[in-house]
Amino acid sequence: MSPARGKDVRRRLVRSPGAVAGTALLLGLFLFAYAGPPLAGWGYADIDYRALHSPPGARHWLGTNRIGQDVFVQSARGLQKSLLVGTLAAAVSTVLAAAVGVCAGYFGGWTDRVLTFCVDLLLVVPAFLVLAAVAPRLRAAGWLAYAGLIAAFGWMITARAVRALTRSLRERQFVVVARYMGVAPLVVIRRHILPHLASFLVTDATVTVAGAVISETGLAYFGFGAQPPDVSLGTLIADASDVPTTYPWMFYVPAGLLVLLILAFHLIGDALRRALDPVTAAAAVRGAP
Amino acid sequence: MPTSPAIRLTRALLLLLVSTFLCYLISSAALDPRAWFEERTPRPPAAVVDRRLAELGLDDRQPVTERFARWSWRALHGDLGRTLDGTPVGEEFARRAGVTARLLLVGTVAGTVLGVLAGVWAAVRRGRLPDRALTVFSFAVLAVPPFVLGLLLQAGALTVNDAAGRTVIRYTGERTPGLQGGPVTQLRDALVHLALPTVSVALGAIALYSRYQRAATLDVLGAEHLRTAQAKGLTPGRALLRHGLRISLIPLTTVFSFGFLALFTGAVFTEQVFGWHGLGSWFVDAVHTGDVHAAVAVEVFAAALVLLAGLLGDALHRALDPRVRRR
C-alpha cells in the first residue's frame, strides 16, 4: 500500500463511527479482561461460602454464582480466553488461507486442482460437528489446541477468495513483466502478490476472529471446551441457562460480554472494508460458525 | 463455470465419499465407546466389553480402515450400524430427522423469504430509515451466537408468561407431555411450542440473507439496463421488479450451500436450548457417550446436505441466469 493511500485509509477509518466505536469497545473489553480481576481481589476459582447467588454489590461487583464464585472475575477470565483463542485462531487460519490460496491461484495446474479439492472437501465436512467430536479429546492440551483446531476448520472460504484474487493479479502487467524477467515465483508472490492481498486479509481476519469466538464459546456451551475449575464465556452461559430471570447477573454478564466482543470485531471489520474499498462497500457478512 | 452438470454430480459424489471416510476416521479416533461401557457400575468384565464392541463393529483393537470397510459395505446396503444401546441407527435417524425438519422448515423458509424482501427494500431505500434500521438489526443479530439468541428468547417468553400470570409461550420440548384433547388441541399445542424456535431460526436467516440481498440489489440498481427501462417509462420500482430482481438473486445461489450448513449447525444449538430431541441433540449425546455410528450418521448427513444445497444452488443459478445455460 502506498503511503498516500495509507493516509487516505487512516483518514476514512478515523471518520467512520463504526471503526471508532468498535475500537473503543475492544479496548474496553481488553481492559475488563486483564485489568479487572486484580482490582476485584478474587481469583476465578475462589469460592466465597458467605455469598451464594448474591446479587451485584460492594463485595462482589457483579454478584456470585450458585457456589459463591465471583461473576465479574469469572467473566473476565472467560473473556481473556475468547480474546486469545479468537485472535490466535484467526491469525493461524488467515496465514493458512493465504498460503493455500496464493499457491493454488499462482501456480495453477495440478497444484490448483489438488488444493481446490482439499478446500472443497473441508468445506463439505461439517466443521462444527467435527470440532465438537474432537474437542473432548483435546481437553488436556488446553486452549492452545482449541485455537489450532478452530483455525484448521476455518480457513477454506478465505482461501477460495484469495485464490480468485491471485488469479486475477497474476495477469496484471507488473506480475507478468516480473515473471518474464525471470524473477523466482516465491519472490514474485512476496513482492507483488501478497502486498495486494494484505488489505483483504486484514479485513477478513477481523471477521474470522468473531467466527472463532462463536465456535469456541459454542463448544464450551455444549461442555466440550474448558473444564472446571477453568471457565469460558460459553460454560458460564450454559451454567446460567436455566436461571436467566431468577439470577439475571449470572446470565447477562457473560452473554453481554460475548455479544459485545463479537460486535466489536464485526464493526471494525465492516469499517475496514469500507475504508479500504469505498467503491464497492458491498458488505459480505460472514455466516454463523 | 464451464462444467457440465454431469461432471458436477460426479465431483459431488466423490467429495461425499471422501468426506464420509474422513468423518468416520475422525469420529473413530476421537470418540471412545469403550469408556462408556467400562464406566458402568458394576464395571463389566473386559471380555464382555470386548465382545459387545466387536458385535457393534466398534472394536478399537482392529485397524480403523478395516472397521470402515465393513461399516461402509453394510451402509451401501442400507444398514447404518447400531447405536451403543443396540438401536438401529437408520430407524433412530429417521425419527430424529423428522423432528429437526419440523424445527427448521418454517423458520428457514420464512427467514429466507423475509430476508430477501428486506434486503431489496433496504437497497431501494438506501441510506434512509428502513435501511439503517435493517443494518442495525442485522449487526445485532449476527453478533448474538445462536445459543445466546435462543436463551434470550426464552428469557423474554418467561417474562411475558410471568406478566400474563399463565403460560402464553411454551419454550421447551415439542409438545406438552400427557396433553389430553382432540387433534385441534394437539395441533395448537404443537404450534405454540414451535413458535419460539421458529423465531430463533428465522431471525438468523433474515439477518444473514438481507445483508447479501441488499448488496446484490445495490449492484443491480446501478446497471444500465435498469436506467434504460426507466428511460422508456417504467417506474423505478417496476423496472427493478421486472429486470433487476432476477439478476440480484444470482449471488444468493452461491451463498446457499454455506448458508444451509450454518442453518443446520444453528439447529444443533436451537435444539439444545429448546429441548427438542432432533439430530442435533442426538449428535451432542453421541459425542458425550462415544457413539461413533450415530455421530457419523449426523456428520455425513450434514455433508450430503451441503452438497445437495450446492447442486440446488447451481440449478437455481442456471434457471436465473441465461448466460450460464447457454454453455
Side-chain angles (χ1 to χ4, degrees):
Chain A
M1 198 185 293
S2 64
R5 173 138 191 268
K7 207 170 145 197
D8 209 32
V9 167
R10 265 195 299 282
R11 205 192 57 230
R12 273 199 291 264
L13 273 182
V14 173
R15 278 193 196 158
S16 136
V20 175
T23 314
L25 202 55
L26 198 59
L27 270 177
L29 289 169
F30 195 78
L31 277 179
F32 182 99
Y34 286 97
L39 294 179
W42 299 94
Y44 69 90
D46 288 354
I47 295 173
D48 181 1
Y49 292 103
R50 285 181 297 166
L52 308 182
H53 276 321
S54 72
R59 192 173 163 80
H60 294 282
W61 295 342
L62 293 175
T64 59
N65 68 7
R66 64 193 86 212
I67 58 168
Q69 289 169 321
D70 190 81
V71 170
F72 176 86
V73 177
Q74 283 209 315
S75 303
R77 169 85 183 176
L79 191 58
Q80 285 174 12
K81 194 157 309 134
S82 288
L83 276 166
L84 278 173
V85 172
T87 39
L88 196 69
V92 173
S93 89
T94 303
V95 170
L96 210 65
V100 173
V102 167
C103 282
Y106 188 83
F107 295 112
W110 275 103
T111 321
D112 184 29
R113 255 167 260 166
V114 171
L115 288 178
T116 308
F117 188 82
C118 292
V119 168
D120 284 356
L121 181 65
L122 277 178
L123 276 173
V124 168
V125 170
F128 184 80
L129 300 185
V130 173
L131 279 180
V134 178
R137 271 287 159 117
L138 290 179
R139 258 167 207 159
W143 62 267
L144 212 74
Y146 292 126
L149 201 63
I150 291 168
F153 284 98
W155 54 274
M156 293 85 70
I157 294 181
T158 312
R160 273 193 168 184
V162 169
R163 174 180 172 269
L165 285 171
T166 308
R167 278 165 76 100
S168 78
L169 279 171
R170 215 179 102 90
E171 306 307 322
R172 297 268 285 276
Q173 227 158 32
F174 56 91
V175 179
V176 176
V177 168
R179 283 218 314 270
Y180 285 151
M181 281 169 70
V183 180
L186 284 182
V187 180
V188 177
I189 287 173
R190 206 189 45 192
R191 274 207 214 136
H192 302 298
I193 305 268
L194 283 181
H196 282 90
L197 292 173
S199 55
F200 167 77
L201 288 175
V202 169
T203 310
D204 190 76
T206 338
V207 187
T208 309
V209 178
V213 169
I214 294 181
S215 292
E216 185 266 330
T217 49
L219 288 176
Y221 173 77
F222 283 125
F224 300 142
Q227 293 302 297
D230 207 349
V231 293
S232 152
L233 289 178
T235 57
L236 293 176
I237 291 166
D239 199 34
S241 61
D242 51 341
V243 291
T245 42
T246 12
Y247 309 110
W249 58 90
M250 267 178 69
F251 173 70
Y252 287 104
V253 172
L257 288 172
L258 177 58
V259 170
L260 288 179
L261 181 62
I262 297 166
L263 189 64
F265 280 108
H266 276 322
L267 283 173
I268 295 173
D270 193 58
L272 272 174
R273 190 176 296 129
R274 281 166 200 269
L276 291 166
D277 192 5
V279 186
T280 57
V285 183
R286 270 283 189 80
Chain B
M1 266 161 263
T3 36
S4 72
I7 293 178
R8 303 206 137 211
L9 200 64
T10 332
R11 191 183 162 79
L13 274 176
L14 183 65
L15 280 171
L16 184 64
L17 284 179
V18 182
S19 74
T20 304
F21 179 60
L22 257 181
C23 288
Y24 191 93
L25 208 67
I26 296 174
S27 304
S28 300
L31 304 179
D32 187 6
R34 181 176 290 275
W36 189 71
F37 284 112
E38 284 177 347
E39 271 162 19
R40 290 193 181 161
T41 36
R43 185 175 168 150
V48 175
V49 174
D50 282 346
R51 205 178 57 227
R52 187 74 190 125
L53 284 173
E55 273 171 21
L56 292 167
L58 294 173
D59 196 337
D60 45 7
R61 291 167 309 172
Q62 284 175 350
V64 69
T65 43
E66 208 171 288
R67 274 178 278 157
F68 176 73
R70 206 163 320 131
W71 174 83
S72 54
W73 179 249
R74 287 214 198 122
L76 274 179
H77 294 82
D79 177 12
L80 295 172
R82 284 169 187 274
T83 63
L84 289 186
D85 52 19
T87 328
V89 167
E91 248 171 57
E92 185 70 8
F93 182 87
R95 203 175 63 75
R96 299 261 184 174
V99 175
T100 302
R102 285 197 287 279
L103 180 81
L104 281 180
L105 203 63
V106 183
T108 309
V109 175
T112 310
V113 172
L114 284 176
V116 169
L117 289 177
V120 173
W121 190 46
V124 174
R125 302 272 156 134
R126 181 181 194 178
R128 304 239 288 271
L129 190 66
D131 182 26
R132 279 157 191 266
L134 187 71
T135 304
V136 171
F137 164 82
S138 302
F139 259 81
V141 172
L142 290 177
V144 180
F147 57 102
V148 178
L149 184 64
L151 290 169
L152 280 176
L153 285 172
Q154 276 191 356
L158 240 120
T159 316
V160 170
N161 288 347
D162 281 351
R166 66 193 178 86
T167 312
V168 186
I169 309 170
R170 300 269 174 187
Y171 50 85
T172 45
E174 207 179 341
R175 48 180 61 92
T176 311
L179 180 75
Q180 304 291 319
V184 179
T185 323
Q186 298 285 352
L187 184 68
R188 194 192 299 143
D189 180 58
L191 287 180
V192 168
H193 279 86
L194 192 59
L196 223 46
T198 298
V199 171
S200 176
V201 171
L203 281 181
I206 293 172
L208 187 65
Y209 288 127
S210 68
R211 296 301 297 165
Y212 283 114
Q213 187 58 37
R214 178 182 178 274
T217 312
L218 279 179
D219 283 348
V220 172
L221 277 179
E224 264 180 27
H225 71 275
L226 272 199
R227 290 222 299 275
T228 313
Q230 280 180 47
K232 284 186 170 175
L234 282 184
T235 62
R238 213 149 247 284
L240 178 68
L241 219 59
R242 198 174 289 173
H243 302 291
L245 194 60
R246 186 186 168 117
I247 302 171
S248 76
L249 284 171
I250 292 172
L252 214 61
T253 58
T254 52
V255 185
F256 211 56
S257 58
F258 307 120
F260 230 67
L261 184 61
L263 265 169
F264 188 74
T265 314
V268 179
F269 289 105
T270 313
E271 279 177 19
Q272 190 78 0
V273 171
F274 291 102
W276 283 51
H277 301 293
L279 290 176
S281 68
W282 194 37
F283 179 79
V284 173
D285 291 344
V287 173
H288 277 300
T289 53
D291 200 332
V292 177
H293 290 160
V296 170
V298 179
E299 286 165 3
V300 172
F301 176 69
L305 216 57
V306 173
L307 286 168
L308 209 65
L311 291 174
L312 200 65
D314 278 349
L316 277 174
H317 193 170
R318 270 162 198 284
L320 288 170
D321 190 347
R323 285 168 305 180
V324 182
R325 250 177 301 168
R326 216 170 289 143
R327 288 229 184 86

